[in-house]
Amino acid sequence: MEAAVKTTGGSDVEVGGTPQADVLAERLVREAKQWEEPDLQHTSYTGCRVDAFEGDGISGTVDASVRWSALSLGMMDSPKNSRTWRQVNESVYVETESGPGRSRLIAKCAVPGAIVSQPSDLPLQFDVTGVTLGTELRWELLSAFARSFVEEMDCEKPPVIPSALPEAE
């Protein structure tokens, strides 16, 4: 995180969000157990947000968030999604440049007590945004955030989230 703060160029930082992964995991597990297939509205939770200030203005922001995705794993094979999403393994897909300064990861996580289709139709989605961050540093933050969060989720078969940025095909 220190390296991310340095890229923002600010001399003063303010940190926010809900850094307790267990609190966020509990909320998401509750949502998964209440989820029904047509429901596409999912709350996004900020795990960490860092605002860097220089003088009276914000010089940069780094944001890490998690939510249940509106994209299912079955949608990853569509021509539109296959151009930007890469399959890392059987349970993880990444989109290294989903927008300006944004990287995204989708991971399959079966929640005990949820409906049968939940693991593939309602995967976890992790986002890290920071326009001052390079792709490598953004991936480091995304990967660390997702791995630490998944440890708290009690997935039936935890997804394997790599620490190194997956190679482009």
Side-chain angles (χ1 to χ4, degrees), residues 86-157:
R86 293 194 315 244
Q87 185 171 9
V88 176
N89 56 46
E90 67 180 19
S91 59
V92 175
Y93 288 82
V94 297
E95 188 179 40
T96 55
E97 294 292 335
S98 60
R102 176 188 298 265
S103 293
R104 182 174 287 164
L105 180 148
I106 287 182
K108 182 177 180 177
C109 173
V111 173
I115 65 173
V116 175
S117 63
Q118 179 269 317
S120 60
D121 291 345
L122 188 68
L124 285 168
Q125 178 177 311
F126 299 91
D127 292 273
V128 168
T129 306
V131 294
T132 59
L133 306 177
T135 303
E136 291 285 334
L137 184 52
R138 218 173 26 254
W139 172 258
E140 283 181 43
L141 295 173
L142 179 62
S143 173
F145 175 56
R147 281 183 282 123
S148 66
F149 188 82
V150 163
E151 286 177 15
E152 298 293 334
M153 279 298 291
D154 197 29
C155 303
E156 287 179 358
K157 184 180 178 190

Side-chain angles (χ1 to χ4, degrees), residues 69-77 81 93 106 117 119-123:
S69 183
L71 296 171
S72 70
L73 295 182
M75 296 169 80
M76 295 294 108
D77 292 333
N81 289 324
Y93 288 82
I106 287 182
S117 63
S120 60
D121 291 345
L122 188 68

Side-chain angles (χ1 to χ4, degrees), residues 1-10 12-13 15 50 52 62 132-133 137:
M1 188 53 91
E2 190 175 309
V5 170
K6 285 181 183 177
T7 67
T8 62
D12 189 23
V13 297
V15 179
V50 177
V62 177
T132 59
L133 306 177
L137 184 52

Side-chain angles (χ1 to χ4, degrees), residues 41-59:
Q41 297 294 324
H42 308 293
T43 303
S44 182
Y45 298 99
T46 300
C48 183
R49 179 182 172 96
V50 177
D51 292 313
F53 298 90
E54 190 61 50
D56 291 337
I58 294 178
S59 61

